[in-house]
Structures are given as C-alpha cells and as structure tokens.
C-alpha cells in the first residue's frame, strides 16, 4: 500500500436531534472504519436546519519520498478496496 488512509467526518444536525441516533451513526462509522482500516482523525460538528448532513473526506498520508507520480500512478476511476 502506498499510503495510509485517514478520514475527516463532518456532521450537520438540526437543533433538535436524537442523541442516541447520532451515537448510532458514529458507532456505524467507527465499525466500518475499523473494518476497512481507516482512522477517523477529526472533522466538524455543526447545526443544519434542513436535516442531517454527513460529509466524509478521505486523505492518504504517504511517507516522504514514497509518493507515486506519472505513469506509475493509478488511473482515474481506479477503485481501491
């Protein structure tokens, strides 16, 4: 593997929300992250009057000098499982 995946999770919630439901969302995210070996390293929590919003950004951390560029790099649309 060329890099170590990291995730940032942002969640927007209505002012009145069920705390148990939100805990269940994070429990599910943490279970999936552990299964696919991705560390959730941060994110944001905010209000969203329109409902629940979840945004996940995935980043790859690569040791200095180990990044793959040019022809050796994966092509657009490549899936990593």
């Amino acid at each position: 593997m060329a890099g170590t995946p990291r995730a940032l999770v942002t969640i927007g919630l209505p002012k009145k929300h069920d705390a148990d439901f939100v805990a269940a969302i994070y429990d599910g995210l943490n279970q999936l992250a552990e299964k696919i070996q991705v560390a959730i390293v941060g994110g944001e929590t905010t209000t969203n009057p329109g409902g629940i919003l979840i945004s996940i950004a995935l980043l790859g951390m690569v040791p200095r000098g180990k990044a793959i560029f040019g022809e050796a790099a994966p092509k657009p649309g490549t899936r990593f499982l």
Side-chain angles (χ1 to χ4, degrees):
M1 179 183 284
T4 303
R6 301 282 186 250
L8 299 170
V9 177
T10 297
I11 188 165
L13 301 165
K15 288 189 179 192
K16 292 188 181 225
H17 59 273
D18 180 357
D20 290 336
F21 178 72
V22 175
I25 290 172
Y26 275 103
D27 286 345
L29 287 171
N30 284 320
Q31 287 175 20
L32 180 59
E34 186 175 321
K35 179 178 179 180
I36 62 173
Q37 299 178 346
V38 173
I40 298 175
V41 296
E44 299 290 335
T45 304
T46 188
T47 57
N48 184 34
I52 296 171
L53 169 114
I54 300 172
S55 174
I56 301 172
L58 293 175
L59 309 170
M61 305 302 292
V62 181
R64 188 175 302 276
K66 298 291 184 183
I68 301 170
F69 298 101
E71 290 297 318
K75 304 300 179 242
T78 301
R79 292 181 60 179
F80 298 92
L81 304 176

